Amino acid sequence: EVQLVESGGGVVRPGGSLRLSCAASGFTFGDYGMTWVRQAPGKGLEWVSGISWNGGSTGYADSVKGRFTISRDNAKNSLYLQMNSLRAEDTALYHCARGFYSKDYWGQGTLVTVSS
Amino acid sequence: QSALTQPPSASGSPGQSVTISCTGTSSDIGGNDYVSWYQQHPGKAPKLMIYEVTKRPSGVPDRFSGSKSGNTASLTVSGLQAEDEADYYCSSYAGINNFVFGTGTKVSVL
């Protein structure tokens, strides 16, 4: 059974940093691109970042470019999102999803709240 | 990276069909076939319903179908059922490792 479990969310002050993790199981992690998608409270889905199967290709939404860094460790079946210079508008539920072009499995998400 | 445009809401009676549009540009929807659709029930994670414009993942009922013409993609739900009531989002590849989601459509079953 494919499982994606996010962790690392929490409350952080503006300007602060957080590192999200996504633990994958039930499939060969290194065969798939991965994606982070966020959803602000009561709002729609927003693509944040994606990474290819080997980490050789990455992409970022304009809203996070230069502040967030996506990475992966295929040996640990894990996906990461390093988030720096956090802003109030980054407050959202962050989901990791399997796939680069289409996302066929999603985790339940980890909540990030940026507030002073 | 502007969001793709979807109608805020759509509705139909059980057994009827509903079609949701998703309008983008030649840089996203019109420029490739990596259009996908996601269903999201309240408090739940999104679920992939359609990928590469017309393809259905295993387990998705054939009542769900996708199409594209120019810069607009569409999702049609035929034979509407109560469990189809949910939010639906389109998504498209937008070039150079970038993606964009639609604004979302709330489908109500009357």
Side-chain angles (χ1 to χ4, degrees):
Chain A
E1 178 194 6
V2 172
Q3 284 198 318
L4 298 170
V5 180
E6 304 91 338
S7 61
V11 180
V12 62
R13 295 191 184 278
S17 298
L18 277 178
R19 188 194 196 207
L20 305 185
S21 298
C22 172
S25 60
F27 66 102
T28 304
F29 181 71
D31 284 350
Y32 291 86
M34 297 292 293
T35 298
W36 287 100
V37 175
R38 69 185 180 184
Q39 188 167 30
K43 302 297 184 181
L45 302 176
E46 181 186 12
W47 177 81
V48 173
S49 182
I51 188 168
S52 61
W53 65 276
N54 63 353
S57 293
T58 59
Y60 299 91
D62 287 345
S63 58
V64 307
K65 200 172 294 183
R67 300 187 299 123
F68 290 11
T69 302
I70 191 171
S71 62
R72 64 189 298 158
D73 186 335
N74 288 348
K76 294 184 177 180
N77 293 333
S78 292
L79 175 71
Y80 306 102
L81 187 67
Q82 177 66 42
M83 304 187 298
N84 299 331
S85 302
L86 283 161
R87 306 166 179 167
E89 54 264 37
D90 296 318
T91 293
L93 185 65
Y94 284 72
H95 296 275
C96 72
R98 188 179 81 167
F100 193 76
Y101 290 98
S102 61
K103 294 70 171 169
D104 60 354
Y105 286 92
W106 297 61
Q108 291 301 313
T110 186
L111 183 62
V112 172
T113 303
V114 184
S115 174
S116 55
Chain B
Q1 287 179 338
S2 298
L4 306 173
T5 301
Q6 298 180 232
S9 63
S11 62
S13 299
Q16 289 186 331
S17 294
V18 64
T19 296
I20 304 166
S21 62
C22 172
T23 302
T25 70
S26 57
S27 297
D28 38 64
I29 291 177
N32 66 87
D33 286 335
Y34 293 112
V35 176
S36 49
W37 288 89
Y38 302 87
Q39 177 193 64
Q40 187 179 34
H41 287 108
K44 300 295 186 180
K47 175 185 177 183
L48 178 66
M49 305 303 284
I50 296 288
Y51 66 101
E52 293 177 14
V53 181
T54 62
K55 300 176 181 178
R56 272 180 293 106
S58 174
V60 172
D62 60 6
R63 303 184 292 104
F64 291 84
S65 62
S67 63
K68 188 186 86 165
S69 178
N71 297 337
T72 299
S74 299
L75 173 73
T76 297
V77 186
S78 305
L80 208 56
Q81 299 183 5
E83 58 263 35
D84 299 332
E85 185 161 294
D87 293 326
Y88 291 82
Y89 296 90
C90 58
S91 179
S92 175
Y93 181 60
I96 317 176
N97 297 335
N98 281 292
F99 293 83
V100 61
F101 277 97
T103 50
T105 298
K106 182 176 181 61
V107 169
S108 299
V109 181
L110 304 174

